[in-house]
Amino acid sequence: MKYKIRILSLLFVLISSTIIAHAAIKIKKDDDAGTISGTVTDKADGKPVIGATVNIPDLRRGAITDVNGHYTLEKLPKGVYLVQVVYLGYATYNQKVDFSKTTTLDIQLKASSIEAGEVVITGVSKATEIKRDPVPMVAVGKTYLDQRSAAGNVIDMIANLPGVSAVTTGPNVSKPFIHGLGYNRVVTLQDGIRQEGQQWGDEHGIEVDQNSIDRVEVIKGPASLSYGSDAIGGVVNLITPSPVADGKILGSVQGTYGTNNGLLNGSFRLYGNQNGLVWGTILSAKEAKDYQNQHDGRVYATNFKEKDARFMVGLNKAWGTSYLNFSLFDDQQAIPDGSRDSLTRKFTKQITEADLSRQIVSPSELNSYNIPVLHQHVQLYRIYNNSNFNLGSGNLIVNLGYQYSHRREYTHPEDADVAGLNLHLSTYTYDVKYNFDLGKGYETTAGINGQYQNNTIGDATDFPIPAYHQFDIGPFLIVKKSFGKLDLSAGARFDSRSFHGQAAYIDTLAGKYPQLYTGADPNNAPNVVPQFTALNKTFTGFNGSFGGAYNFSDKFLLKANIARGFRAPSIAELSANGPDPGSQIYHVGDSNFKPEFSTQEDIGAFLTLPNVSFSVELFNNNIQNYIFQQQELNADGSPVITQGYNTFTYVQSKARINGGEFSLDIHPLKWLHFENSLALTYGQNLGTGGKVADSLKYLPFIPPLHTHSELKGNFSKGFGSFRNVYAFVGFDHFSAQNRFFAAYGTETYTAGYNLLSAGIGSELVNSAGKTVIKLFIEGTNLGNVNYQSNMSRLKYFDNANVPAGVQPGIFNMGRNVSFKVVVPFDLSPHVKS
């Protein structure tokens, strides 16, 4: 009851503050708004730049220049905001503009082969150029995402960015890792709203429609100042499309086909804006068969079906912006276990509960889109509001969200409708912050955010975690100041997380399967055994960050930052005591765990010349009370089997993770790009005192050395009716991972491998210069290499005993070529002249 009172009180305060903010700003009519217009031209010849994007990132407002290079933005809140202008083949233009004083802004773009001037909104008080923020960040836009058409999900689209990787369970399940940290150490956001859906689980991915994301921003390293516990490893912010320009109704229909697993991915998009009333919808559906490779053939139970929908309605007015969003994610994913016939090595499937013998999977079933009886069904319903009010001399930002995650795993072959796992997670998130200027250029953000969660374990037969309540709260303060070429940033935050886990008992003989006991006096009831004890825990921690960026010139800068991060243990780490069928693991937690604290130092150098750019970023992260899983073994060295699953316990230790990223981009010709990057991460288990055995000295799930080289040609002016033509060839090298957590057979050695990729694409325009169709083709693993990624969980899925000379586990996807077609359309009402 006290948690309900706390959350209701908190929501009342937030809603009240929103009402007060509306009352304070309602006197600001559209007549009081700022308007800015101008012309974008080429600095060299003065000709208009047609189709350039003029964007105000903080307000999510933008316009496209017309045939005369002209643009207009109306009903802008009067204040100082960053204006960004982007067009392929030109250096990005960034300028802070005071809309209360400036109404005309003519912009000259300078031709450049180097892509620079990227802006981020994640983790900062206001939109900031990446190069001027000391925290390591990276951002990619829609062009980058479109060209990754072969990616099976939104995390795979960014998994090749330096410092970013993903733990995968097939082509549709990926969890982001940043500098070797993932799961509950990386916060995933959608439009700044925390994504909550049992992140501790291995076998389901991020519940987001990849077709609805136009931009991704990544913070690499502790980001707890803005986002609280669980951001100790970093943040991935998935950003949906911005509203279209006033008076426009724009949309598109797109379809993607993948040759390897017969992927079919279709999406419909429609957005409109009429006098500041903005709205939009995206409807998507995708499905795929089992993927294939030369070593395994088609991999049974890796097929999936997904349906997605989102709707947005909002206002862009003089007082600010407010958007209300609704979304649904509905995914059915088969559950692979890797079992095979001992003679033929063909995949087999469970057909009876006793599981005394298995049936070989037929070729027709391997080649089918039908989801098998054993599968998981994950649904996420989300309602959230993003509001930005122009209040006083600053901006009041209010982000409120509600999510309902329903995760079921159907694990009984003879009872298809009985869920083995059935988790219901309701999450309320709140984030209120005020951006203001203290004077003399001190940009300040003061805020408070957190969440309330309620988890129930439903009508199920397996119970890995208990029902629980969780409440997070954290006030924070961030200050930024520029001293000429030096930009400094500092902040502090205090976090509190409270858990209340409910005791639970299992009736082992109430029916065919175990079920929760809900009667009186469970301690004396026959055939009733305890599953979870009651848990009441509160964790608190202080976070801080200080850093600076020094721009020696437009060509060279240095950045450095030191940050302390905090993470409270997850409910699984504290209380797990049961099987998670989809992950093939029986989890065991420890209620005595302490919170994690990290201290990370980052330093980076960036050189940007007319035809060459180079960067090096190094990091060192020391973590106290690091929590990870290790496999349990019997005295004879065999795995401990509990209820049919390998048993893994959570343990705690000191750890150090360090490494760096290097990049070298060469542009010998205006249209030719030769991009190279290298990412290296080391993870060391420092133990709890004394010498650490060789088998224990490394941490699990640390990505190996990865290099990426890409030769790419961009022709923005194109050839005839073809515009924005591009073609690339990519080469990825992954070194062998011999620094793995070998103890108890938890991890094994992973051989190195090389992958070849290529892509081509273009836009077809009509005689009026409007885009008629966009085409993106991407091929991955074109050499059809048989390989196992160190970050793939399927690497460990096989029979308990594998014939001598046979590499155990499932291999990654073979050659795949994807074809993506986008057909844009314009339903805007015609304006009579």
Side-chain angles (χ1 to χ4, degrees):
M1 179 59 70
K2 66 178 181 180
Y3 288 94
K4 291 182 179 179
I5 294 174
R6 288 168 72 177
I7 192 64
L8 288 174
S9 299
L10 181 58
L11 288 174
F12 175 77
V13 171
L14 295 176
I15 293 171
S16 299
S17 65
T18 304
I19 294 172
I20 293 171
H22 271 294
I25 59 183
K26 66 181 181 179
I27 58 172
K28 296 194 174 190
K29 301 178 182 178
D30 286 347
D31 293 341
D32 301 322
T35 298
I36 191 166
S37 61
T39 303
V40 179
T41 57
D42 186 312
K43 187 175 183 179
D45 57 20
K47 292 182 179 179
V49 178
I50 304 169
T53 300
V54 183
N55 185 37
I56 307 172
D58 282 314
L59 304 177
R60 299 189 70 182
R61 306 278 291 276
I64 306 295
T65 56
D66 61 19
V67 293
N68 298 312
H70 186 75
Y71 73 93
T72 300
L73 287 165
E74 298 177 329
K75 301 181 179 65
L76 301 174
K78 291 187 177 180
V80 179
Y81 293 91
L82 186 74
V83 174
Q84 181 187 60
V85 184
V86 178
Y87 192 72
L88 188 65
Y90 291 87
T92 300
Y93 174 93
N94 291 299
Q95 178 67 46
K96 288 185 177 180
V97 178
D98 188 342
F99 296 145
S100 63
K101 299 178 181 178
T102 303
T103 57
T104 301
L105 181 65
D106 292 326
I107 299 161
Q108 293 181 321
L109 295 184
K110 183 178 180 182
S112 174
S113 301
I114 300 294
E115 296 82 7
E118 191 67 69
V119 167
V120 296
I121 60 173
T122 305
V124 295
S125 56
K126 278 192 173 184
T128 302
E129 287 186 77
I130 288 179
K131 69 179 184 179
R132 301 191 72 95
D133 195 285
V135 178
M137 297 182 183
V138 64
V140 295
K142 184 163 178 55
T143 299
Y144 178 95
L145 299 176
D146 275 337
Q147 293 176 6
R148 272 66 189 173
S149 57
N153 57 76
V154 69
I155 299 303
D156 277 354
M157 287 177 165
I158 62 170
N160 266 353
L161 293 174
V164 182
S165 56
V167 164
T168 64
T169 311
N172 194 44
V173 177
S174 299
K175 287 187 176 292
F177 267 54
I178 301 174
H179 289 165
L181 297 175
Y183 295 104
N184 288 73
R185 296 184 181 91
V186 171
V187 168
T188 303
L189 310 169
Q190 183 167 338
D191 294 332
I193 303 291
R194 287 178 65 117
Q195 178 91 11
E196 291 294 325
Q198 315 285 2
Q199 292 95 315
W200 56 269
D202 288 294
E203 74 290 355
H204 63 285
I206 301 301
E207 299 92 340
V208 171
D209 173 21
Q210 67 188 83
N211 302 300
S212 70
I213 303 303
D214 274 12
R215 181 175 175 79
V216 182
E217 298 180 355
V218 180
I219 299 176
K220 297 186 287 187
S224 298
L225 283 183
S226 297
Y227 301 104
S229 179
D230 301 345
I232 196 170
V235 169
V236 177
N237 192 7
L238 309 171
I239 301 172
T240 58
S242 296
V244 297
D246 195 9
K248 293 290 186 179
I249 301 176
L250 304 176
S252 66
V253 177
Q254 72 177 45
T256 304
Y257 174 73
T259 59
N260 186 284
N261 58 351
L263 172 69
L264 299 170
N265 183 356
S267 185
F268 169 82
R269 174 185 298 204
L270 187 65
Y271 274 70
N273 184 344
Q274 183 62 44
N275 196 31
L277 174 63
V278 299
W279 53 270
T281 184
I282 300 175
L283 306 174
S284 303
K286 67 178 180 179
E287 63 178 354
K289 300 181 288 189
D290 296 328
Y291 80 83
Q292 57 187 322
N293 58 58
Q294 284 187 325
H295 183 272
D296 301 307
R298 288 204 179 271
V299 179
Y300 178 59
T302 57
N303 58 333
F304 57 87
K305 290 186 178 183
E306 181 184 318
K307 295 177 290 186
D308 304 280
R310 67 173 290 108
F311 305 92
M312 180 273 289
V313 63
L315 294 172
N316 287 342
K317 295 294 182 178
W319 45 260
T321 60
S322 184
Y323 307 134
L324 184 62
N325 298 267
F326 310 83
S327 68
L328 165 66
F329 173 92
D330 189 316
D331 178 59
Q332 295 183 76
Q333 172 76 52
I335 302 177
D337 65 10
S339 68
R340 313 190 194 215
D341 178 69
S342 58
L343 296 178
T344 64
R345 291 287 290 167
K346 292 182 178 180
F347 287 102
T348 62
K349 64 178 180 178
Q350 183 182 357
I351 55 176
T352 65
E353 196 68 31
D355 200 20
L356 299 178
S357 65
R358 293 203 169 197
Q359 185 180 90
I360 293 177
V361 182
S362 68
S364 61
E365 191 171 356
L366 287 170
N367 201 40
S368 172
Y369 286 97
N370 294 328
I371 302 297
V373 172
L374 305 186
H375 70 279
Q376 62 172 309
H377 190 184
V378 178
Q379 294 171 300
L380 183 70
Y381 304 85
R382 184 180 1 230
I383 302 174
Y384 63 95
N385 176 261
N386 302 122
S387 294
N388 186 339
F389 303 118
N390 185 25
L391 182 63
S393 60
N395 298 84
L396 176 67
I397 298 174
V398 181
N399 297 316
L400 301 175
Y402 168 75
Q403 298 168 64
Y404 172 65
S405 171
H406 190 190
R407 176 179 162 201
R408 286 156 289 180
E409 294 181 2
Y410 294 96
T411 56
H412 301 296
E414 297 175 285
D415 296 286
D417 296 330
V418 176
L421 187 71
N422 198 349
L423 301 177
H424 306 254
L425 179 66
S426 296
T427 304
Y428 301 85
T429 58
Y430 63 96
D431 177 23
V432 180
K433 50 196 172 189
Y434 186 58
N435 298 326
F436 60 99
D437 195 327
L438 280 176
K440 297 184 178 180
Y442 285 93
E443 295 183 9
T444 308
T445 300
I448 186 170
N449 55 29
Q451 62 181 343
Y452 169 79
Q453 286 189 337
N454 180 55
N455 184 72
T456 62
I457 50 183
D459 184 12
T461 64
D462 295 315
F463 309 95
I465 61 171
Y468 70 91
H469 304 292
Q470 175 188 319
F471 180 73
D472 296 359
I473 189 168
F476 62 93
L477 180 70
I478 302 173
V479 179
K480 297 175 62 177
K481 168 66 175 175
S482 295
F483 299 90
K485 298 181 178 181
L486 176 64
D487 300 295
L488 295 179
S489 177
R493 179 188 179 99
F494 182 79
D495 270 296
S496 175
R497 168 172 289 181
S498 299
F499 279 115
H500 173 66
Q502 298 178 15
Y505 298 83
I506 305 300
D507 191 334
T508 59
L509 297 178
K512 183 176 180 180
Y513 304 106
Q515 58 184 259
L516 284 177
Y517 178 76
T518 57
D521 195 14
N523 292 312
N524 295 310
N527 307 315
V528 173
V529 296
Q531 183 77 5
F532 304 106
T533 59
L535 173 74
N536 288 284
K537 288 278 187 176
T538 298
F539 300 97
T540 59
F542 172 80
N543 313 316
S545 177
F546 177 75
Y550 190 82
N551 293 266
F552 288 88
S553 67
D554 291 338
K555 299 180 178 63
F556 181 67
L557 70 96
L558 288 175
K559 296 182 5 174
N561 191 72
I562 183 169
R564 171 184 165 94
F566 160 82
R567 185 182 79 91
S570 71
I571 190 64
E573 293 163 343
L574 291 170
S575 300
N577 181 32
D580 182 4
S583 67
Q584 302 292 303
I585 288 176
Y586 189 100
H587 299 271
V588 179
D590 188 337
S591 61
N592 295 314
F593 280 155
K594 299 176 181 178
E596 292 180 349
F597 289 96
S598 73
T599 302
Q600 178 163 322
E601 303 93 14
D602 294 277
I603 187 169
F606 304 83
L607 177 67
T608 304
L609 300 175
N611 296 307
V612 177
S613 63
F614 173 78
S615 69
V616 55
E617 296 180 271
L618 305 175
F619 72 93
N620 180 64
N621 192 4
N622 288 285
I623 307 174
Q624 302 294 319
N625 309 318
Y626 182 80
I627 300 171
F628 60 97
Q629 289 192 90
Q630 64 184 30
Q631 187 169 214
E632 290 287 287
L633 298 182
N634 293 306
D636 63 359
S638 62
V640 173
I641 305 298
T642 308
Q643 297 182 19
Y645 300 98
N646 288 9
T647 304
F648 279 69
T649 59
Y650 289 98
V651 294
Q652 198 160 44
S653 177
K654 294 181 181 178
R656 177 183 298 122
I657 303 178
N658 50 26
E661 292 99 48
F662 308 84
S663 70
L664 174 64
D665 297 346
I666 303 172
H667 302 261
L669 301 171
K670 180 180 178 180
W671 57 269
L672 185 63
H673 308 255
F674 184 41
E675 302 174 354
N676 304 272
S677 65
L678 181 150
L680 181 62
T681 304
Y682 290 117
Q684 187 175 0
N685 178 15
L686 303 180
T688 56
K691 181 176 174 58
V692 177
D694 287 346
S695 63
L696 294 164
K697 63 190 291 187
Y698 302 116
L699 299 176
F701 280 135
I702 297 296
L705 181 146
H706 173 210
T707 65
H708 175 77
S709 295
E710 186 173 297
L711 186 65
K712 185 174 184 178
N714 276 324
F715 306 92
S716 58
K717 295 182 179 179
F719 310 95
S721 297
F722 294 92
R723 302 285 173 83
N724 292 324
V725 178
Y726 73 91
F728 72 86
V729 176
F731 178 81
D732 287 89
H733 168 73
F734 293 84
S735 293
Q737 183 54 289
N738 51 19
R739 298 170 176 263
F740 57 94
F741 188 77
Y744 321 113
T746 302
E747 283 192 315
T748 59
Y749 168 84
T750 306
Y753 53 93
N754 300 310
L755 301 177
L756 182 67
S757 61
I760 189 171
S762 177
E763 297 179 13
L764 177 65
V765 299
N766 59 21
S767 57
K770 290 188 176 182
T771 300
V772 176
I773 192 171
K774 301 178 182 180
L775 176 64
F776 307 91
I777 302 175
E778 183 185 19
T780 56
N781 191 9
L782 292 176
N784 211 18
V785 174
N786 288 318
Y787 73 98
Q788 289 178 321
S789 166
N790 178 70
M791 306 296 283
S792 170
R793 295 181 55 255
L794 296 185
K795 176 176 180 279
Y796 301 98
F797 287 20
D798 209 321
N799 295 340
N801 298 305
V802 176
V806 174
Q807 175 65 36
I810 297 172
F811 282 62
N812 286 67
M813 183 181 284
R815 181 186 297 116
N816 182 45
V817 180
S818 73
F819 302 85
K820 180 177 180 178
V821 176
V822 182
V823 180
F825 56 84
D826 188 341
L827 302 180
S828 306
H830 295 289
V831 179
K832 295 181 180 181
S833 56

